[in-house]
Amino acid sequence: MSEEKKPTAAVMTAWASRCLMKQGATPDVAQSMAEHLVAGDLLGFRTHGLLRLRYNLQALQRGQTKPAGEPELVQGRAAIELWDADLLSGLYVVPKAVKRAIAMARVCGTGTVVIRRTQHVAALAVYLEQAVDAGMLIQMMCSTPAQEVVAPYGAKSACFSPNPFALGVPTESAPILLDMSLSMTAAGKVRTALAENKQLPYAALITAEGDYSCDPATFVAEPASVLASLGGKELGYKGTGLNLFSELWTLALSDYGRKDAAPADADANTVWLQVVDPTAVAEQGAFERQASALVEALKNTQPIDPQQPVRVPGAGALATRARQLTHGIEYSAATWRQLEWCADFCDEPLPTAANAQ
Amino acid sequence: MSEEKKPTAAVMTAWASRCLMKQGATPDVAQSMAEHLVAGDLLGFRTHGLLRLRYNLQALQRGQTKPAGEPELVQGRAAIELWDADLLSGLYVVPKAVKRAIAMARVCGTGTVVIRRTQHVAALAVYLEQAVDAGMLIQMMCSTPAQEVVAPYGAKSACFSPNPFALGVPTESAPILLDMSLSMTAAGKVRTALAENKQLPYAALITAEGDYSCDPATFVAEPASVLASLGGKELGYKGTGLNLFSELWTLALSDYGRKDAAPADADANTVWLQVVDPTAVAEQGAFERQASALVEALKNTQPIDPQQPVRVPGAGALATRARQLTHGIEYSAATWRQLEWCADFCDEPLPTAANAQ
C-alpha cells in the first residue's frame, strides 16, 4: 500500500462494521466494535486495532462472542453496578458502562461499573476520552479469569493474567491518557520478538528454572517461561501488589474468579471502571487547572538526554491520531494481509485507492 | 533495653498520648495520634511508628500541627467528599475519613474522601483494617504538595513527592494489606543507608548527571540525586504514570497543588481514600471467598527459591504484630533514644521494666 492509499478512519470503520454484520452482529454492535478497534489503530495501539478484526469475526462466527443483546445488571447501588455481559463484545459493552458511570458520577460524585464475562475489550485507551470529554477522571483495570501468564514476586510459575491499567483526565489542553500493563512486558511483545528473532530489551521473563531472561524462545519452550510482574527482580513485590489490586477489584468483586470461568469464557475479560466528577468537590475548571500544573511540572524537569524531553502520557498517542486523521491510517503490510483475509472471509472487498480517501 | 523490658502497646500508647497532651493536643486527638503511631510499630513500619513522636510533639509545640478541632467538609456529593484538615494530624483525621467513607459505601456502594492539608499521615497501612473489619475493600494514596523528590521517567530532576499506595481487603482468613511507595525506594531508606555507610541494593537514585546510582551519598550532594519512579531505567514510564495517578487523584482533585501549598504546609499531606462495599454487587461472603481463592493461587505458584514461599502482602506485617502483641514491642536502641528525648521534652517518664508489662 503506497502513501496515497492510506485509508481514512471513516472508510475503515464502515468496512469493518459491514464485515462484523456479515457474521451476525447487529448494526449497533457492529458499529461500536468497528469504531473502537479503529480507535485503537488511530492511537497507535496497533496490536489492539483492526489487526484483531479477524479474531472478532471468528469469535462471532463460532458463537463465542454474542452478536446481539444487552449486558445484564446483576446488582448495584447508587454509585456502583455489577454487569454481566453474557459474552457480548467489550467493544460494545464498555462504552455503555462508561456512559452509565458518568451518569452515576453526576449524581453521586463517583460512578463505578464492574463488568464480567465481556469478550475482547481490546485497548483500554480507546474508552478513556468518553469520560474525559464529559469533564471527568476515569480509571480502568481489566483481567482475564481464564488466563495465568504473569508470575507473582518470587515465583517461577504464573497466577495472574496480563492486567492492563489505564487512566484519563482532562487538563486545560490535551488530556492525560495512560494505558499500561502491570507486568514487565505483554505477551504480544514477546511473540513479536520471537517472530522477528530478537531478544527482549530487558529481562521480562522468568524461566521454568527461575531465571530472569530476555529470550522470547523460553516463552514457547516446555515448560514455558512466564511474564514477570512490574518491578522485576528487585521490586517485583510492588507489581505483584498492583496485580492483586487489579484482580481483587475485578475478579473478586465481580464474584467471577478463575474457578468460575467456563471453557466458553476462555478469553472473556472482567473490567473495573470508575469515573470521578471533579465538580463534586471543587469549582468548575479547578481540576483542569491543577492537572495542567502537574503537566507543566513534568515538562519542566531536566531531561537526562537533552534530545528527549520528558513525555506526558498520551501525548504520543494523540499525535499519532492527529497524523492519521489527516493522512489516513498507516497499516503495516502484515496487518493489511490480515484485513485481506477478513475481506475474503466476509466477502466485503477492502477499500481501494479509489474509495479509501 | 533487655528482652524482658519490651513494653506493651497499651503502655506505650498511654505514654505517647500523655506526651501529646502535654504539647496541647486534646485527649481525643492525642489518643488517636498515639494509637496510630503505635499501630505502625506493631505492623513493623518502624520508620512511621513512635520514632516519629518527636516530630509530632515538635510540630504541635510550634503550632505547625493543630492540637484541637475538626476537619472541615469543603464540598461533596453522596459518594465523595473533600475535607480540609486545617493542619490537624492525619493520625486523627484519616480514621474519621475512613469511617465516613464506610458510611457512604453502605448507602452508595462506594465512599471516597479526599483530605487536603493534613499533617503527618504516617503509614497508610495503619488505616486499612478499619475498613477491612467492616467487610470492605479500601484503597489509599497520599502525596505531599510541598515536596519534589521523585523524578519522572527520562528526567534527572524531580517533580513528584514520595507517594505511597495502599490497599486492604478482607478474605476468609487474614486480610490482604499492602502499603508501598510508587518510587524505587523511599527517602528514609536512602538516609538509613547513608547513616550505615552502605550502598543501596539496586540503583534507585538518579544523579544530577543523569546516571542511575546505588550511592546514598549522591542524595546529599550538591546538586543532589533524586528518587527514580518505580520501573527504573527500562520501565520508569509506568511508575511515572502511577505517580501521576496519585497526584491527579490527590492534589488536582483537592484543588490544592504545589502552587497553593503555603510554607506552613511544608509537610502537610493530601490523601485519597476509597472504600467499596462488596455486598453492593454480590452476596455476603462472595468477595471473601474470591479473595481467598486469589491468595491460594498466589501461594500455589512455584517459588524460585524453595526456601522462600511466595508471600501474601500483609502476612509479614500481621505476624510481626502478633509477635509484638504477645511479647511486647521491639524498639531498637536508636528509637528508644528518640523516645527518651520525648520523655524529657514532655517530662513524662518512659515506661520502665516495672510498668512496661
Side-chain angles (χ1 to χ4, degrees):
Chain A
M1 192 174 43
S2 70
E3 188 71 21
E4 53 271 55
K5 282 184 200 162
K6 286 178 193 166
T8 66
V11 159
M12 291 309 287
T13 303
W15 170 77
S17 185
R18 290 195 300 276
C19 290
L20 290 157
M21 284 192 281
K22 285 272 177 83
Q23 299 309 323
T26 60
D28 280 0
V29 168
Q31 179 66 22
S32 189
M33 289 178 74
E35 266 176 24
H36 290 90
L37 286 173
V38 171
D41 282 327
L42 283 170
L43 290 168
F45 287 78
R46 313 268 177 201
T47 52
H48 293 73
L50 278 189
L51 180 61
R52 301 303 300 280
L53 180 63
R54 177 178 177 158
Y55 166 83
N56 277 283
L57 294 170
Q58 291 180 304
L60 282 166
Q61 192 206 31
R62 284 197 293 262
Q64 189 183 337
T65 297
K66 213 174 147 184
E70 293 302 326
E72 178 207 352
L73 169 63
V74 179
Q75 196 179 322
R77 288 188 197 149
I80 188 169
E81 291 183 355
L82 171 62
W83 291 11
D84 188 305
D86 194 20
L87 305 181
L88 280 159
S89 171
L91 296 155
Y92 176 67
V93 174
V94 175
K96 287 182 176 277
V98 174
K99 185 179 176 188
R100 177 68 192 123
I102 291 170
M104 288 192 279
R106 287 205 202 285
V107 177
C108 297
T110 71
T112 303
V113 180
V114 183
I115 314 165
R116 67 188 186 194
R117 298 176 67 240
T118 186
Q119 295 290 18
H120 201 228
V121 166
L124 296 184
V126 304
Y127 307 108
L128 302 171
E129 283 168 285
Q130 188 185 343
V132 170
D133 290 347
M136 308 232 174
L137 296 73
I138 182 167
Q139 190 260 317
M140 300 181 70
M141 296 187 285
C142 178
S143 65
T144 312
Q147 275 185 29
E148 291 183 342
V149 68
V150 177
Y153 188 56
K156 57 186 182 182
S157 69
C159 72
F160 299 123
S161 48
N163 296 333
F165 175 99
L167 62 84
V169 304
T171 76
E172 290 184 311
S173 52
I176 299 172
L177 303 174
L178 175 75
D179 181 356
M180 64 184 213
S181 71
L182 298 175
S183 39
M184 285 190 77
T185 193
K189 288 188 184 173
V190 181
R191 289 195 200 97
T192 301
L194 190 67
E196 295 175 352
N197 203 21
K198 287 181 183 161
Q199 294 288 295
L200 295 174
Y202 44 84
L205 299 169
I206 302 170
T207 68
E209 290 76 43
D211 299 316
Y212 279 77
S213 171
C214 297
D215 186 359
T218 62
F219 199 59
V220 290
E222 186 60 51
S225 63
V226 290
L227 306 177
S229 285
L230 176 62
K233 201 164 186 169
E234 284 110 8
L235 293 166
Y237 66 93
K238 299 196 181 192
T240 298
L242 293 167
N243 274 306
L244 272 173
F245 177 39
S246 172
E247 299 206 353
L248 288 163
W249 265 247
T250 55
L251 302 186
L253 204 52
S254 72
D255 194 15
Y256 196 77
R258 294 206 158 75
K259 284 175 187 162
D260 309 294
D265 301 359
D267 294 330
N269 300 135
T270 309
V271 177
W272 154 279
L273 66 90
Q274 181 170 78
V275 161
V276 182
D277 182 352
T279 65
V281 292
E283 65 179 16
Q284 181 83 39
F287 179 85
E288 289 82 350
R289 272 199 307 278
Q290 295 286 354
S292 286
L294 287 171
V295 168
E296 280 313 297
L298 192 74
K299 286 181 172 173
N300 288 339
T301 56
Q302 296 164 33
I304 292 175
D305 175 353
Q307 305 305 312
Q308 297 275 343
V310 173
R311 295 173 67 167
V312 179
L318 293 172
T320 299
R321 183 169 68 192
R323 187 181 68 238
Q324 295 189 110
L325 283 175
T326 304
H327 301 292
I329 304 183
E330 300 144 7
Y331 288 110
S332 70
T335 299
W336 199 253
R337 279 195 297 276
Q338 288 293 313
L339 300 185
E340 286 172 336
W341 185 96
C342 297
D344 288 347
F345 185 66
C346 299
D347 196 21
E348 274 294 339
L350 265 168
T352 62
N355 64 10
Q357 292 299 322
Chain B
M1 191 174 44
S2 70
E3 187 72 19
E4 52 271 57
K5 280 184 200 163
K6 286 178 193 168
T8 65
V11 158
M12 291 309 287
T13 303
W15 170 77
S17 184
R18 289 194 300 275
C19 290
L20 290 157
M21 283 192 282
K22 285 272 178 84
Q23 299 309 323
T26 60
D28 280 0
V29 169
Q31 179 65 22
S32 189
M33 289 178 74
E35 266 176 24
H36 290 90
L37 286 173
V38 171
D41 282 327
L42 284 171
L43 289 168
F45 287 77
R46 313 268 178 202
T47 51
H48 293 74
L50 278 188
L51 180 61
R52 302 302 301 279
L53 180 62
R54 176 176 177 160
Y55 166 84
N56 277 283
L57 294 170
Q58 292 180 306
L60 281 166
Q61 192 205 31
R62 284 196 293 261
Q64 188 183 338
T65 297
K66 212 174 145 182
E70 294 302 326
E72 177 207 352
L73 168 62
V74 179
Q75 196 178 323
R77 288 189 197 149
I80 188 169
E81 291 183 354
L82 171 63
W83 291 11
D84 189 305
D86 194 20
L87 304 182
L88 280 159
S89 169
L91 296 155
Y92 176 66
V93 174
V94 175
K96 287 182 177 277
V98 174
K99 185 179 176 188
R100 177 69 191 123
I102 291 170
M104 288 192 278
R106 288 203 201 287
V107 176
C108 297
T110 71
T112 303
V113 180
V114 182
I115 314 166
R116 68 187 185 194
R117 299 176 69 240
T118 185
Q119 295 290 18
H120 201 229
V121 166
L124 296 184
V126 304
Y127 308 108
L128 302 171
E129 283 167 286
Q130 189 184 343
V132 170
D133 291 346
M136 308 232 175
L137 296 72
I138 182 167
Q139 191 259 317
M140 299 181 71
M141 296 187 285
C142 178
S143 66
T144 311
Q147 276 185 29
E148 290 183 342
V149 69
V150 178
Y153 189 55
K156 58 186 182 182
S157 68
C159 71
F160 299 122
S161 50
N163 296 332
F165 176 98
L167 61 84
V169 304
T171 76
E172 291 184 311
S173 51
I176 299 172
L177 303 174
L178 175 76
D179 181 356
M180 64 185 213
S181 71
L182 297 175
S183 40
M184 284 190 76
T185 193
K189 288 188 185 174
V190 181
R191 288 194 202 98
T192 301
L194 192 65
E196 296 175 352
N197 204 21
K198 287 181 183 163
Q199 294 288 294
L200 296 174
Y202 44 86
L205 299 168
I206 302 170
T207 68
E209 290 75 42
D211 300 314
Y212 279 77
S213 170
C214 297
D215 185 359
T218 63
F219 199 60
V220 290
E222 185 61 51
S225 62
V226 290
L227 305 177
S229 285
L230 175 62
K233 201 164 187 171
E234 283 111 9
L235 293 166
Y237 66 94
K238 298 196 181 194
T240 299
L242 292 167
N243 274 306
L244 273 172
F245 177 39
S246 171
E247 299 206 354
L248 288 162
W249 265 247
T250 54
L251 301 186
L253 204 51
S254 72
D255 193 17
Y256 197 76
R258 292 205 159 75
K259 284 175 187 162
D260 310 293
D265 301 359
D267 295 330
N269 300 134
T270 309
V271 177
W272 154 278
L273 66 90
Q274 180 171 78
V275 161
V276 183
D277 182 351
T279 66
V281 294
E283 65 178 17
Q284 180 84 40
F287 180 85
E288 289 82 350
R289 273 199 306 279
Q290 295 286 354
S292 286
L294 287 170
V295 168
E296 280 313 298
L298 192 74
K299 286 183 173 173
N300 288 338
T301 55
Q302 297 164 33
I304 292 175
D305 175 354
Q307 305 305 313
Q308 297 275 342
V310 173
R311 295 173 67 165
V312 179
L318 292 172
T320 298
R321 182 170 67 192
R323 187 180 68 237
Q324 295 189 110
L325 283 175
T326 304
H327 300 293
I329 304 182
E330 301 144 7
Y331 287 111
S332 70
T335 299
W336 199 253
R337 280 193 297 275
Q338 288 294 312
L339 300 185
E340 287 172 337
W341 185 97
C342 296
D344 288 347
F345 185 67
C346 298
D347 196 19
E348 274 294 337
L350 265 168
T352 60
N355 65 9
Q357 293 299 322

